[in-house]
Amino acid sequence: MNGDPVPGKYNALPIGGCVTVRTFTSESVTEGHPDKVADRVSDAVLDAYLEQDPMSRVACETLVAGNRMIIAGEVTSDGEVDAAAIARGVISSIGYDRRELGFDAASCEIEVHLGVQSSDIAMGVSEAEEVRGGGPGDEFDRQGAGDQGMMFGYATAETAELMPLPIHLAHRMAERLSSVRKSGLLSYLRPDGKTQVTFEYDAAGRATRLDTVVMSTQHDPEADRDTQLRPELIEHVIRPSLPAEFADDDFRTFINPTGRFVIGGPAGDAGLTGRKIIVDTYGGMARHGGGAFSGKDATKVDRSGAYATRWVAKNVVAAGAATKCEVQVAYAIGVARPVSVFVETFGTESVDPAKLGAAINEIFDLRPAAIIEHLQLRRPIYTPTAAYGHFGRSGPGFTWEQTDRTEEVRRALQL
């Protein structure tokens, strides 16, 4: 094996031409990151429509730059929503509530350009090809997919949440970074921030050591990196987030490596809905297909298909059928039934892969209308998903995280 990175698996660190360590890195960002501001506004607008009309179809995109925001997209709904007012509430709740930050809820200029969904798209969603073609169908055959493409879901026994360890820890550190800011414990912090975590892995794909933590966080001008930020972030954010088995590892720590991070958020960098899709999913440990999630209602299979495949993969791993599982589903726009379903278990399966694939097709209905009903996706549940990952989370809104089909999987596979 040479010193080149192993695609999709590990970063190889060559020394003298030989690979001595295999590592993998994932990142997360806080809710104050410009892209996440955009995601949260888009999801808050979606939730506002769903609260009034659960049958709403929404595709909402948000752009932030400087002290300006543009909200655009397509909506078909009986609800009436003041998107600008919702955006201001989101901006304030994140912590952009002072002019000195360069972006704030009160003075931000907001443009709204929300039109109506294309009738060509609406036709295929409202009446699927299976029904238009004259077939009898059932209630779940009546709704077609709202887009074409492929989506992936993934689960691994690496953590209790069945998520890859690097992205799971990066999320928890980012979440805690926001928490200590909002609680006032580290009141000099500002909303924008990013975390990055690197683990060493052995040849069997097991995490063996925490190698590096990188944390960049916006702060007040008077905060000193070396005497204040570094020791206090290690004490109050990094150390409390570490899993017990890695707490004593001798890992490297980089805090604000540039030395200063005062100008941040949309004042420092433009943000756009859907630009953090790897942060939103599995941190690069699994493949990503389709598109982004935020601002899209569940008729868009970019979102509902990705949620459903996570649900399938998680139930497979929770049932003990494999320790790693990746599921791909593909759709044709306007057609209810998937074009294909593919399952990969990376050699970790405890059953015949052909039987596992048959069991998945028998147990899980991946038609969009069936996904929406089974996972209760017409509710206003999406704003919390906009930061700290869509997967590996708990709470009543994260229905795709439930392992409610494990017994059926076990019975079908005789586990």
Side-chain angles (χ1 to χ4, degrees):
M1 181 178 183
N2 61 28
D4 294 331
V6 181
K9 293 279 288 184
Y10 307 107
N11 288 330
L13 303 181
I15 298 177
C18 297
V19 175
T20 58
V21 173
R22 298 201 295 181
T23 61
F24 193 90
T25 302
S26 294
E27 69 169 5
S28 182
V29 295
T30 66
E31 62 206 67
H33 185 282
D35 293 330
K36 282 298 159 192
V37 173
D39 282 345
R40 184 157 292 217
V41 169
S42 293
D43 272 333
V45 170
L46 167 62
D47 279 346
Y49 277 107
L50 291 175
E51 191 169 12
Q52 295 186 37
D53 177 9
M55 301 303 290
S56 296
R57 294 181 189 165
V58 179
C60 180
E61 310 284 348
T62 302
L63 166 68
V64 288
N67 201 30
R68 187 176 187 183
M69 175 177 287
I70 299 174
I71 302 170
E74 299 79 43
V75 177
T76 301
S77 176
D78 288 335
E80 295 185 5
V81 168
D82 186 341
I86 289 168
R88 294 191 194 279
V90 168
I91 296 166
S92 179
S93 70
I94 290 172
Y96 290 111
D97 52 8
R98 295 169 285 160
R99 283 183 177 268
E100 66 192 80
L101 298 178
F103 174 71
D104 80 293
S107 65
C108 177
E109 180 185 346
I110 301 176
E111 295 181 28
V112 178
H113 304 276
L114 292 172
V116 179
Q117 184 183 49
S118 160
S119 59
D120 291 347
I121 295 175
M123 175 179 63
V125 176
S126 301
E127 189 176 74
E129 174 68 20
E130 286 86 341
V131 175
R132 284 182 280 123
D138 61 20
E139 58 177 318
F140 297 139
D141 273 331
R142 299 186 186 281
Q143 178 182 310
D147 202 351
Q148 67 190 50
M150 73 289 187
M151 299 84 213
F152 287 94
Y154 182 74
T156 172
E158 197 171 357
T159 63
E161 294 78 11
L162 304 188
M163 285 289 289
L165 181 58
I167 187 64
H168 174 72
L169 183 55
H171 280 323
R172 302 293 75 78
M173 286 186 180
E175 198 168 24
R176 187 166 180 85
L177 185 59
S178 288
S179 177
V180 297
R181 170 180 61 87
K182 289 184 169 183
S183 71
L185 179 62
L186 302 182
S187 58
Y188 54 82
L189 297 180
R190 291 182 172 184
D192 195 359
K194 178 179 284 189
T195 61
Q196 182 176 292
V197 175
T198 302
F199 277 94
E200 286 185 9
Y201 280 79
D202 64 18
R206 292 184 294 263
T208 57
R209 191 181 76 86
L210 176 60
D211 181 81
T212 307
V213 174
V214 183
M215 186 169 292
S216 295
T217 179
Q218 189 185 12
H219 57 83
D220 290 343
E222 62 273 12
D224 182 79
R225 181 188 68 170
D226 296 324
T227 63
Q228 193 171 18
L229 268 74
R230 179 177 174 80
E232 292 186 356
L233 288 175
I234 290 173
E235 178 184 358
H236 296 295
V237 179
I238 295 175
R239 285 289 178 188
S241 303
L242 296 181
E245 61 268 38
F246 300 103
D248 295 328
D249 289 351
D250 182 22
F251 58 91
R252 297 177 296 170
T253 305
F254 296 91
I255 305 294
N256 282 15
T258 65
R260 180 179 170 87
F261 187 3
V262 173
I263 301 171
D269 193 10
L272 186 66
T273 298
R275 213 158 53 176
K276 284 289 178 285
I277 57 176
I278 300 304
V279 170
D280 285 344
T281 52
Y282 307 101
M285 189 68 81
R287 287 171 283 194
H288 188 288
F293 305 152
S294 290
K296 299 177 182 178
D297 74 274
T299 65
K300 282 74 171 174
V301 286
D302 279 349
R303 185 168 213 159
S304 55
Y307 288 176
T309 50
R310 162 64 176 172
W311 177 48
V312 175
K314 189 171 183 180
N315 274 271
V316 168
V317 173
T323 58
K324 292 181 182 179
C325 182
E326 185 179 71
V327 178
Q328 183 203 55
V329 64
Y331 295 95
I333 187 169
V335 180
R337 296 180 183 273
V339 172
S340 72
V341 179
F342 176 79
V343 184
E344 171 64 75
T345 50
F346 309 97
T348 70
E349 67 279 357
S350 60
V351 297
D352 182 345
K355 292 182 179 179
L356 176 58
I360 287 173
N361 284 325
E362 176 187 338
I363 296 167
F364 298 94
D365 191 337
L366 296 179
R367 291 174 291 175
I371 294 169
I372 290 170
E373 177 169 303
H374 297 328
L375 299 184
Q376 304 170 60
L377 299 181
R378 293 199 185 277
R379 299 175 297 148
I381 58 174
Y382 298 105
T383 303
T385 70
Y388 316 118
H390 291 246
F391 308 120
R393 308 279 297 278
S394 60
F398 292 87
T399 52
W400 49 92
E401 291 296 311
Q402 61 193 350
T403 52
D404 57 330
R405 301 294 175 89
T406 54
E407 289 303 318
E408 290 179 66
V409 172
R410 291 188 185 109
R411 282 197 301 269
L413 298 173
Q414 299 180 330
L415 293 174

